[in-house]
Amino acid sequence: MSGCSWIGPDDGPVLPSAPAGDERLEQRFSAARGRVVDFWTAVPAGHGDGRGLPVCLVLHGGSKRPADFSALGLGRFLTDAVRRGAPPFVLAGATGDRLAWRPRGGDDPQWMVRQELPAWCADRGFDTGRLAAWGWSMGGSGSLLLASTFPGLVRSVAAFSPAVTPGDAVFDGLERVGRTPVGLWCGKGDDLYENVRQLWATLPVPPRAGGFGPGEHNFGYWSTLIPEAFDFLAESLR
């Protein structure tokens, strides 16, 4: 990736030199979660408020939240992808806490992503008829689970080091993912590596993008994967 520099500690992200575009952090009431949540969006620089652009839903992992997305450079990665030739799209995410994007009691972050997050995006004029999903760690497994629980909702899924275990709900739902294009990545130094390798082998259709390389369970590694993942997601959202 050109124009990048290391920031923060060794497990911090590698950021592109591209600027963020219209990036917003708002608060919305989620009936699915029974509380106010952060709602974050990013539009690539040069595309105004993003009206008419398709949406990639962002499902966070256990240690980051939408309030952290700007510092992680997600808006900058988005502009970088478009400047490199990817069709433009927007990113949108909301707070799911540590529920692994599954319902628990009266708190249902998965339904928030299925129903409310697209509605909030539609309020902003984004094209919610074209959706993809991307997440890391528990957000990676949550993205795959979203695709299997609601077949046809998303055009593609990108998962970084998804928190999966053979025999869990993600593995059990893989047949329902069907032919939805999947991108799957994991570092060989990640404790989840063997599980993700088994996930790769179990998918009904081999992943369209992804692979395994030197890296651990952190944004130092994941940030090096974002350009490839965004290219993959953008292509499905044409």
Side-chain angles (χ1 to χ4, degrees):
M1 182 177 12
S2 60
C4 298
S5 59
W6 281 99
I7 68 165
D10 290 343
D11 63 350
V14 182
L15 300 184
S17 57
D22 185 342
E23 206 169 359
R24 305 184 193 183
L25 182 67
E26 306 171 353
Q27 284 70 49
R28 298 289 179 101
F29 178 76
S30 167
R33 299 211 57 221
R35 69 195 66 195
V36 173
V37 299
D38 283 342
F39 167 51
W40 175 90
T41 58
V43 177
H47 289 268
D49 62 4
R51 189 168 295 270
L53 293 183
V55 181
C56 175
L57 306 172
V58 182
L59 280 70
H60 62 73
S63 62
K64 301 295 181 184
R65 298 292 184 275
D68 303 308
F69 290 176
S70 292
L72 291 173
L74 302 192
R76 294 170 63 177
F77 279 108
L78 182 61
T79 298
D80 177 68
V82 173
R83 288 185 173 182
R84 290 185 290 100
F89 62 98
V90 302
L91 299 171
T95 309
D97 290 317
R98 298 183 66 91
L99 301 178
W101 299 99
R102 304 179 192 189
R104 185 178 302 169
D107 193 345
D108 193 343
Q110 185 184 69
W111 189 248
M112 176 187 69
V113 175
R114 166 64 181 91
Q115 190 70 29
E116 296 175 319
L117 189 50
W120 299 337
C121 288
D123 288 345
R124 295 276 302 280
F126 303 152
D127 180 3
T128 56
R130 293 181 288 163
L131 297 174
W134 165 54
W136 55 91
S137 192
M138 76 174 190
S141 57
S143 296
L144 290 163
L145 197 59
L146 184 74
S148 67
T149 305
F150 307 105
L153 174 66
V154 295
R155 294 188 175 192
S156 62
V157 175
F160 292 173
S161 310
V164 294
T165 303
D168 69 8
V170 175
F171 274 82
D172 288 346
L174 288 181
E175 285 300 324
R176 294 190 299 276
V177 172
R179 304 193 68 83
T180 301
V182 172
L184 186 60
W185 294 259
C186 189
K188 294 181 178 180
D190 194 316
D191 289 344
L192 292 167
Y193 172 60
E194 292 298 336
N195 292 353
V196 177
R197 279 180 58 87
Q198 187 164 339
L199 181 72
W200 180 294
T202 308
L203 278 164
V205 177
R208 301 279 186 88
F212 304 97
E216 299 181 358
H217 201 81
N218 57 52
F219 262 93
Y221 171 60
W222 294 329
S223 64
T224 67
L225 309 175
I226 293 177
E228 182 184 357
F230 279 12
D231 290 349
F232 162 72
L233 293 164
E235 198 59 36
S236 76
L237 290 170
R238 277 187 184 276

